[in-house]
Amino acid sequence: MSCSKGKLSSLFTNPERPTSSNSSKLSSLFFTTQVIPRPTSSYPTTSTEAPSPSVPIQTPLEHFLQTNCKSGNFTLNEALHYFDRMILMQPVPPMASFNRLLGGLAKSKHYSHVFSFCIKLTSSGLLPDFITLNILLNCFCNVKRVCDALVALGSMIRRGYKPSAVTFTSLVKGFCMEDRIDEALRLLEKMIKFQCQPTVMTCGTMINGLCRAGKTSVALRLHEDMSKGNGGFGVYCKPNVVTYGIIIDRLCKDGMIDEAKDLFLEMKDRGILPDVVVYSALIHGLYYYEKWEVGKALLHEMVHCGIKPNLVTFNVLIAALCRRGNVKESSDLLKLMVHRGISPDLFTYNTLIDGFCLVGCLNEARELFHTISSRGCQPDAVSYNVLINGYCKNWKIHEAVNVYEEMIRRGVRPTVVTYNALLTGLFKLGRVQDAQMLFAEMQTQNVLPSSSTYKILLDRLCKNDCIPEAMEIFHTLENSSSCELSVEIFNSLINGYCKARKLEIAWDLYHKMSKKGLVPDVITYSMMIHGLCIEGQLEKANGLFLEMEGKGCAPNIVTYNTLMRGFCQNNNLEKVVELLHKMSERNLSPDNSTTSIVIDLLSKDENYRKCLDWLPTFPASSELKAEVTNFKSFA
DNA sequence: TTAGGGTTAG
């Protein structure tokens, strides 16, 4: 188990023996011996006057704790201000008041402030209670510091508190967030030993973790066991709208739309009414997979059931329209949501900026980007990335680089997406040196390249005749664990070497990928066949074609065309016809490239006569047959 | 006063 090396985590290294230097820090929350508790009052008040029994007067502090903290409608400065006041009050407000404030901060994801406020609490001699510790433990989990959360759990137990389902649910989430799914599952089943029954929220958290980890089938099994009440996974709670929603969303994201719809019907059959989240998730899936009519019908059903579309629903619809290039209707939808009193958020603006970029309306995209701040949001990395990508895709690298520089000037940290977009843009324009310099800058900015970055680099370097540079990066990757070598990376290099007529090196790479446990795909085979054909090694090319079929890798239209072109150049009409028959048997339709190959073949005088023999049984599409017949009549 | 779900970029 590895603990994070942050300042706070180091406080937990020796919980039994806190030193005087750390007793005022977070760790002291867990040591009653180090804290001299100050008395706390039984009600939160800032007023010296007793409230009137008939007209309760709420002080600003009470209003802040009971209203703002609950709704999340407060600024950090306000929280800091009230916290400092509370801590100095005499008598000190009850811990429940501090918990309200800490809970509000945690809900607003101000985790680091929860940590610092907890340190201040203990250094002021106040003793956190069970709820405080649960809030703290949950915050540790949310910042992927399960190690510290477990120390908090241990201390909680030592202080005589019995961990509740809330405690365990936080820990399950923490394990899931650290990709420790098996440990999360074990904890779920262990809860019972602590005489704590998992609740539907614990199960929802577990199901969500399983889904995110790609273990949808296990999530479905747990959900089914919940429905059956058979005690599987040690749980006895029934599924609810949230558990159904999580699985429906996952199935949609996995493209299993029909299964998602079935589950949606099942929940309704069981009397669990879908809410706006479930409808939005399913509508998103339906629109994403182009099932527009069904999506529209579901939207109508939702409204008919009295469920109002919310901000996320509108964002889903705006994104769907943008993907279709219908940015005009998207903008109309934006006006409609504002008219309905729903304020657009950064998701809305980023989606619309992307929509404008997709249809090439870069000025409109830029204009909207510049109005984000005046609309109450601040552009984030996604906003910048969307715009940079828009410029790169439209060959406007100069503008893209300007946006990148503005991004850095404004203190928005570029991400790997930023660099991938810029690298692609630079390579597209053949600016290899600039791309290489940007790759170096990416490293100085401490942005880790992703597998996509390496794919872009290797692919584009090869295509720009920089094979040695590509190989240098490849060798670095071979000797490091920073990025897994993939079939795509090998394909880029194989393609480069085939085109450079260095077939032997391409062969070496082809064999190397198998040794590394990678399975060549249809692109690998097609490229190798292409390379062999160029070198006139048709027999070997045909052998590889048969080998790929034998290994269960189905040749596609590109593979067939590549090999047919090889045989065509070798004037081997019989072999081309054989391949056309094979294509027909495999239900593969010839494309324009196939037609041109056949026409080229026929245009050779010696083939024309032969053509008359096999044309009546020609296994090709009507378009290809028509082309051939045209050629015949013309000839 | 503490725990779970849906929307944007390569």
Side-chain angles (χ1 to χ4, degrees):
Chain A
M1 192 186 290
S2 67
C3 282
S4 33
K5 297 279 177 231
K7 212 174 175 185
L8 290 173
S9 64
S10 62
L11 303 175
F12 299 126
T13 48
N14 189 357
E16 297 304 329
R17 291 183 182 188
T19 61
S20 57
S21 63
N22 70 16
S23 62
S24 66
K25 295 186 181 172
L26 203 56
S27 55
S28 58
L29 295 171
F30 310 133
F31 313 121
T32 52
T33 51
Q34 293 295 310
V35 179
I36 304 156
R38 286 166 64 198
T40 54
S41 67
S42 56
Y43 57 90
T45 173
T46 52
S47 170
T48 47
E49 286 175 37
S52 152
S54 55
V55 189
I57 300 167
Q58 213 177 30
T59 65
L61 172 61
E62 285 167 345
H63 183 265
F64 178 76
L65 293 175
Q66 284 166 28
T67 311
N68 301 63
C69 285
K70 201 170 179 180
S71 63
N73 181 23
F74 62 88
T75 64
L76 260 178
N77 273 345
E78 283 174 313
L80 192 65
H81 164 77
Y82 281 115
F83 183 82
D84 285 345
R85 273 183 59 187
M86 283 163 72
I87 220 155
L88 293 172
M89 280 163 64
Q90 287 295 346
V92 182
M95 196 45 63
S97 299
F98 286 100
N99 290 342
R100 277 178 199 264
L101 195 146
L102 291 170
L105 279 170
K107 271 207 179 104
S108 309
K109 299 189 188 331
H110 294 301
Y111 304 122
S112 59
H113 289 88
V114 171
F115 301 143
S116 64
F117 281 18
C118 283
I119 291 169
K120 278 190 190 172
L121 261 186
T122 49
S123 59
S124 302
L126 296 168
L127 189 62
D129 66 10
F130 180 59
I131 304 285
T132 327
L133 293 174
N134 267 323
I135 296 171
L136 185 64
L137 183 145
N138 185 44
C139 289
F140 277 138
C141 291
N142 280 319
V143 296
K144 297 190 183 184
R145 287 170 60 177
V146 181
C147 188
D148 294 322
L150 288 172
V151 176
L153 172 75
S155 306
M156 194 184 264
I157 295 167
R158 273 198 299 278
R159 280 183 54 185
Y161 293 124
K162 188 172 150 264
S164 67
V166 175
T167 320
F168 285 111
T169 304
S170 295
L171 286 168
V172 166
K173 185 183 182 186
F175 278 127
C176 291
M177 284 180 73
E178 284 190 6
D179 297 323
R180 295 160 68 177
I181 300 297
D182 292 340
E183 286 165 272
L185 275 169
R186 276 203 296 275
L187 186 67
L188 180 77
E189 291 177 282
K190 258 189 201 165
M191 277 176 72
I192 209 77
K193 284 186 189 159
F194 284 87
Q195 294 167 313
C196 185
Q197 195 60 241
T199 67
V200 68
M201 283 171 96
T202 324
C203 296
T205 308
M206 190 66 247
I207 288 171
N208 194 32
L210 286 164
C211 286
R212 280 171 187 261
K215 295 178 186 278
T216 314
S217 56
V218 186
L220 273 166
R221 213 163 58 230
L222 169 56
H223 201 244
E224 274 167 24
D225 284 349
M226 285 168 75
S227 297
K228 287 177 189 159
N230 59 12
F233 295 87
V235 303
Y236 286 97
C237 50
K238 290 287 173 195
N240 66 3
V241 63
V242 176
T243 57
Y244 269 103
I246 294 165
I247 296 186
I248 286 171
D249 176 57
R250 188 70 254 165
L251 290 172
C252 285
K253 289 199 171 101
D254 291 343
M256 297 164 77
I257 301 293
D258 290 336
E259 288 81 352
K261 277 194 293 182
D262 288 346
L263 214 56
F264 179 75
L265 294 176
E266 181 189 295
M267 71 183 283
K268 288 203 287 188
D269 281 348
R270 292 186 175 169
I272 300 169
L273 293 178
D275 60 8
V276 65
V277 176
V278 180
Y279 272 108
S280 300
L282 190 51
I283 289 169
H284 176 244
L286 289 164
Y287 278 124
Y288 192 87
Y289 288 97
E290 311 257 305
K291 301 193 184 294
W292 280 72
E293 287 311 313
V294 194
K296 208 168 163 186
L298 199 66
L299 184 65
H300 280 290
E301 179 190 306
M302 170 182 161
V303 175
H304 183 74
C305 291
I307 299 167
K308 283 185 184 165
N310 66 8
L311 173 62
V312 177
T313 325
F314 271 102
N315 284 346
V316 162
L317 298 173
I318 287 172
L321 287 164
C322 283
R323 269 194 301 271
R324 267 203 156 185
N326 199 343
V327 71
K328 165 78 181 65
E329 209 179 321
S330 289
S331 304
D332 291 344
L333 216 50
L334 173 77
K335 285 176 199 151
L336 177 69
M337 68 191 275
V338 173
H339 182 71
R340 289 196 176 188
I342 301 169
S343 301
D345 65 358
L346 208 45
F347 276 88
T348 327
Y349 296 125
N350 289 347
T351 306
L352 271 167
I353 294 168
D354 191 40
F356 279 125
C357 289
L358 274 174
V359 292
C361 297
L362 296 169
N363 289 339
E364 286 82 352
R366 178 88 206 179
E367 214 170 284
L368 180 58
F369 176 87
H370 279 306
T371 62
I372 290 183
S373 315
S374 62
R375 294 172 191 238
C377 296
Q378 282 308 313
D380 65 355
V382 177
S383 324
Y384 282 97
N385 290 347
V386 162
L387 200 57
I388 288 170
N389 189 43
Y391 280 128
C392 288
K393 279 203 170 142
N394 286 279
W395 304 84
K396 292 182 184 296
I397 194 70
H398 179 69
E399 287 84 346
V401 171
N402 280 346
V403 178
Y404 165 69
E405 285 168 350
E406 182 187 323
M407 181 180 193
I408 292 178
R409 262 199 319 276
R410 295 194 183 261
V412 178
R413 214 172 160 249
T415 67
V416 66
V417 178
T418 322
Y419 288 102
N420 289 353
L422 283 166
L423 286 170
T424 310
L426 286 166
F427 275 125
K428 227 164 68 171
L429 290 168
R431 289 171 56 177
V432 179
Q433 263 192 328
D434 289 334
Q436 285 172 307
M437 275 162 64
L438 187 75
F439 180 58
E441 185 171 323
M442 177 178 185
Q443 274 139 331
T444 57
Q445 291 274 349
N446 283 326
V447 178
L448 278 181
S450 64
S451 59
S452 299
T453 318
Y454 288 113
K455 263 184 259 169
I456 295 164
L457 276 170
L458 293 177
D459 191 52
R460 299 295 172 150
L461 281 171
C462 288
K463 283 182 180 147
N464 281 282
D465 299 323
C466 300
I467 296 181
E469 289 85 347
M471 276 314 274
E472 199 183 318
I473 296 174
F474 176 74
H475 289 314
T476 316
L477 286 180
E478 266 192 309
N479 299 318
S480 83
S481 55
S482 57
C483 171
E484 288 277 311
L485 290 173
S486 63
V487 173
E488 285 106 323
I489 283 178
F490 273 97
N491 284 352
S492 294
L493 288 168
I494 288 172
N495 189 35
Y497 278 112
C498 284
K499 286 199 172 142
R501 308 284 300 259
K502 291 183 175 169
L503 200 59
E504 272 184 29
I505 305 178
W507 261 122
D508 285 346
L509 284 164
Y510 169 76
H511 290 301
K512 198 175 213 173
M513 69 189 287
S514 300
K515 278 183 201 155
K516 300 245 178 210
L518 295 167
V519 182
D521 63 8
V522 63
I523 300 173
T524 324
Y525 282 111
S526 300
M527 286 186 311
M528 286 306 304
I529 288 169
H530 180 63
L532 289 164
C533 286
I534 287 176
E535 296 299 321
Q537 299 184 37
L538 283 165
E539 221 168 286
K540 211 168 173 185
N542 197 45
L544 201 57
F545 178 84
L546 297 173
E547 183 187 314
M548 73 184 281
E549 278 189 312
K551 286 187 174 171
C553 178
N556 63 16
I557 185 71
V558 178
T559 330
Y560 277 97
N561 287 343
T562 305
L563 192 56
M564 279 195 287
R565 196 173 290 113
F567 282 123
C568 176
Q569 275 157 4
N570 204 35
N571 204 21
N572 192 336
L573 177 67
E574 284 76 17
K575 207 71 193 166
V576 174
V577 175
E578 185 189 313
L579 285 167
L580 283 167
H581 274 288
K582 231 177 193 173
M583 266 177 75
S584 174
E585 281 163 26
R586 307 274 193 276
N587 286 326
L588 260 179
S589 302
D591 64 1
N592 289 340
S593 192
T594 324
T595 307
S596 116
I597 292 163
V598 174
I599 298 292
D600 279 354
L601 191 66
L602 295 178
S603 62
K604 295 178 181 177
D605 285 346
E606 66 268 33
N607 285 336
Y608 176 64
R609 286 281 155 212
K610 286 185 195 167
C611 155
L612 295 177
D613 300 335
W614 58 261
L615 193 60
T617 56
F618 191 55
S621 68
S622 50
E623 289 85 359
L624 178 54
K625 276 189 180 179
E627 283 284 345
V628 174
T629 313
N630 276 345
F631 176 84
K632 213 178 99 186
S633 55
F634 177 73

